[in-house]
Amino acid sequence: MPFPLNVPESALRRRRSQKWVAYPEDVLPLFVAETDVLLAPAIRDRLAAAVADGDTGYFAEIERLSGVCARYYSRFGHEVPEDSVVPVNDVGVGVRESLARILPAGSGVVYTPPVYMPFAPWIRRVGMAPVAVPLIDHDGEAPRLDLVGIERALADGARAVLLSHPHNPTGVLHRPDELATLADLASTHDAVVVSDEIWAPLTMPGVGFRSFLAASDSAREVGLAISSASKAFNLAGLKCAFVVNGNPERFHVRRSALSGAVGHFGALAAEAALTESLDWLDELRTALSANLDLMDTLLAEHLPRARWRRPDAGFVAWIDLRGYPGLGDDPAAFFLDEGRVALSNGPAFGTEGRGFARVNFACSEELLTEAIARMGRVASSRS
Ligand SMILES: Cc1ncc(COP(=O)(O)O)c(C=O)c1O
């Protein structure tokens, strides 16, 4: 079992986070985007020291955390000014508050299904109207943004695009030329691009990430990027993320209003992650890539009619199971009932997800092997 995805199941079963309590013990959980790692040593030691010191009060070091995030994010294609960073307590808050503070009530916000399932509810929650412009499926190749459809939606009055980059669930990195075109479209139509970049630190080995904000000068004029150490270092419960405001003159997304609710432990952990744990992150990325090799072999053996494309980033794989019509529109529901394997339900990502399931492969080789073997057994009983 390659480090750091080598934590025994018995230890994982002691956890009380969502991945490990949502289902009974006979279910293998490969659904919610948590990873089965122990904390990177620098993060563990920082948090342990805070616990030992009783250092459990309110978060206060907003400027220090902003500096850490700005220096880290500057690796993704352009120099991030420290004063453009606004710490927030999670990416969801960053997205919702950005939309709410920038757009008039009732504005249309484009999103690109299949996509992370809370996007449309987030848009509605802040009084805006979701406008779906689905990705274009290229039959086994990377699904791509429908830039013509987005242009039409903006021309029809939508005021923003909520991007997932790298894209969840497909794991696709949008190309720099697509991002530059998107920025020009937004600029022409006086719209905003909110780029959810939570998966940015997790590109596969050898694959580089470039922020939407690095696409062009106009991208910075129309855009905000929102990211976090939470997916890469498994810190979601500690509540710390950050907005990079491409145009602070224009977008009134301010620390004074948004940074007070950051989790103190989240901030301590983010600093230890983004300054001292990048070698550890490289080991995780290598282990994730090894799991993709394994998954390739396992799917060919147990689910030969499944189709998928290796993600460029992240630890979820988007599996097309329409070659198994007996599994219905929601194969994950079938695999849970019949195989006791919990995946994310394809249709939850949009109607485009019918016949698909999302597999979280940030687990041990043993768990992945057992899960896909179980899926293969029950799928063949249905076809
Ligand atoms: C694209 C995307 N955005 C946001 C989130 C959630 O982030 P947070 O817990 O910081 O709100 C996730 C979680 O998986 C995600 O995949």
Side-chain angles (χ1 to χ4, degrees), residues 340-358:
R340 312 306 284 157
V341 177
L343 310 174
S344 298
N345 307 82
F349 294 82
T351 52
E352 300 73 14
R354 286 190 195 133
F356 286 73
R358 193 192 75 171

Side-chain angles (χ1 to χ4, degrees), residues 33 89-93 116 119 122 164 166 168 196 198-199 228 230-231 236 239-241 358:
N89 54 335
D90 61 29
V91 168
V93 166
Y116 183 53
F119 271 18
W122 284 353
S164 176
N168 175 6
D196 175 339
I198 196 169
W199 297 92
S228 172
S230 61
K231 291 293 133 197
K239 295 294 169 198
C240 179
R358 193 192 75 171

Side-chain angles (χ1 to χ4, degrees), residues 74-314:
S74 293
R75 66 182 47 221
F76 295 137
H78 84 114
E79 189 69 27
V80 173
E82 201 169 307
D83 58 7
S84 72
V85 172
V86 180
V88 287
N89 54 335
D90 61 29
V91 168
V93 166
V95 168
R96 293 193 300 273
E97 292 290 344
S98 297
L99 293 174
R101 277 155 209 280
I102 294 170
L103 302 178
S107 299
V109 178
V110 171
Y111 72 110
T112 58
V115 75
Y116 183 53
M117 46 284 213
F119 271 18
W122 284 353
I123 293 167
R124 278 191 210 99
R125 230 164 104 182
V126 290
M128 311 291 163
V131 179
V133 180
L135 295 178
I136 299 176
D137 187 3
H138 288 287
D139 200 25
E141 304 284 299
R144 290 284 164 209
L145 294 174
D146 177 2
L147 292 165
V148 173
I150 292 175
E151 178 166 31
R152 203 176 306 124
L154 296 176
D156 285 349
R159 300 294 308 276
V161 178
L162 175 55
L163 198 65
S164 176
H165 175 54
H167 191 91
N168 175 6
T170 62
V172 168
L173 283 180
H174 305 300
R175 290 190 315 250
D177 61 295
E178 293 172 297
L179 298 176
T181 304
L182 178 63
D184 289 344
L185 294 176
S187 183
T188 305
H189 295 282
D190 195 26
V192 173
V193 176
V194 175
S195 184
D196 175 339
E197 301 185 354
I198 196 169
W199 297 92
L202 276 168
T203 48
M204 288 296 146
V207 178
F209 175 76
R210 283 178 74 80
S211 170
F212 171 75
L213 298 179
S216 63
D217 289 342
S218 63
R220 282 183 286 286
E221 273 156 34
V222 300
L224 304 97
I226 306 172
S227 192
S228 172
S230 61
K231 291 293 133 197
F233 297 92
N234 201 36
L235 304 172
L238 301 186
K239 295 294 169 198
C240 179
F242 55 95
V243 178
V244 182
N245 188 344
N247 191 346
E249 305 270 293
R250 177 176 169 202
F251 303 136
H252 296 272
V253 175
R254 299 272 185 258
R255 291 179 190 165
S256 51
L258 295 173
S259 299
V262 170
H264 178 45
F265 269 35
L268 295 176
E271 180 170 337
L274 301 179
T275 61
E276 295 177 70
S277 305
L278 299 180
D279 291 342
W280 180 95
L281 178 60
D282 285 345
E283 292 191 79
L284 173 62
R285 292 163 68 215
T286 302
L288 289 172
S289 175
N291 270 4
L292 285 179
D293 295 340
L294 176 64
M295 203 152 73
D296 209 13
T297 309
L298 293 170
L299 287 173
E301 183 183 344
H302 298 288
L303 284 162
R305 281 180 271 144
R307 302 188 65 188
W308 72 301
R309 176 189 169 275
R310 280 176 85 105
D312 304 317

